[in-house]
Amino acid sequence: MICRKYFGIVPAKPSAMSEEKIMSRRQAIGGLGVTLAAVAVSRSLAAPGQPREETSATNTTKTVMLENPVNKYPKPPFEGQSQPWPGLASQMKPVPDHGEKSYQGSGRLAGRKALITGGDSGMGRAAAIAYAREEPDAQEVIQLIQAAGRQAVAIPGDLRDENFCRQLVAQAVKALGGLDIVVNNAGRQQAHASILDISTEQFDWTMKTNIYAPFWIIKAALPHLKPGAVIIGTTSEQAYDPSADLYDYAQTKAATMNYVKSLAKQLGPKGIRVNGVAPGPIWTPLQVSGGASQEKLKQFGSQTPLGRPGQPAELASIYVQLAANDASYANGQVYGSSGGSGQP
């Protein structure tokens, strides 16, 4: 299940949906603070994603070609661009790679049922696509997931509303027949040069989206989680090395890192693992919809040793690894992916 900031509910059979019911992200937001929807992902058929590997002449082994990480994706300078929050990945230049064509599944999450907030774009979208293939803006994500032979349901709503967060979990459990992976990824980021520029309303919006929502969702999901289930939070290098213009956002990422470590100790004895992912500069709609100034945007990611920002697809395998059974000793861990800079 995917949840983020905009879309209408997408049933398991898209053909049964009338055009009037298909809502665009902008229509659903309507200029207000709607921070999200969700998508449920589970196994229904056995159709893995298309492989990228080259097959040898014997057709018995596969060779994965080396890729230079420095030149693998676009590097700055990028052209200046701005979108109303929360932004559309499809309108970004260049368009981010969420693994639509590049991610190949290996069956590591077959049969698992996942709730992913923020699944329309960015890391949430990449995680949703990867989860679907291990078992891919809402309508497009649903189509990708269904193309991988998996069931998906998009759930619209405002993550700042406690009642919605409870309903979100209930709908995910009903649609998927259970729940064993919870990925809290949806987030709000707005850059402000001074704390004086942040209103109480804006501060509250960021806190409710990034901190309250995971709290409400985890509380609602916990009674449904059995031993072997996992919870994954999305923190950031901002938790360890905050930027001057991300005062409120950085605080929420530090809190996320802390709740991961705290819950891991609390739920570990119950057989439920809790871990986090800490990205560095990643090319997502957050950046073009107020998350970075135009000056920073044009050189976004240039400060890293790889000289470029990361793409959402480059984090997908981390979310898969943390959810997979063979990572059973990873608990209370925060996996970084920042191109050589930042922590951990």
Side-chain angles (χ1 to χ4, degrees), residues 41-98:
V41 181
S42 73
R43 181 184 184 184
S44 60
L45 301 174
Q50 295 298 314
R52 288 192 298 135
E53 293 82 355
E54 295 185 2
T55 304
S56 69
T58 62
N59 201 32
T60 58
T61 61
K62 292 183 178 180
T63 301
V64 179
M65 305 303 293
L66 291 175
E67 296 177 320
N68 185 342
V70 173
N71 302 318
K72 185 176 181 179
Y73 286 107
K75 304 174 70 172
F78 301 115
E79 67 177 80
Q81 52 195 293
S82 179
Q83 297 185 38
W85 190 89
L88 293 170
S90 61
Q91 301 302 312
M92 294 178 66
K93 299 177 182 179
V95 175
D97 177 14
H98 303 94

Side-chain angles (χ1 to χ4, degrees), residues 10 13 52 125 139 148 162 210 225 246 292 338:
V10 181
K13 297 180 179 180
R52 288 192 298 135
R125 175 171 174 149
Q139 183 68 10
E162 182 177 3
N210 298 5
L225 302 182
L246 294 177
S338 55

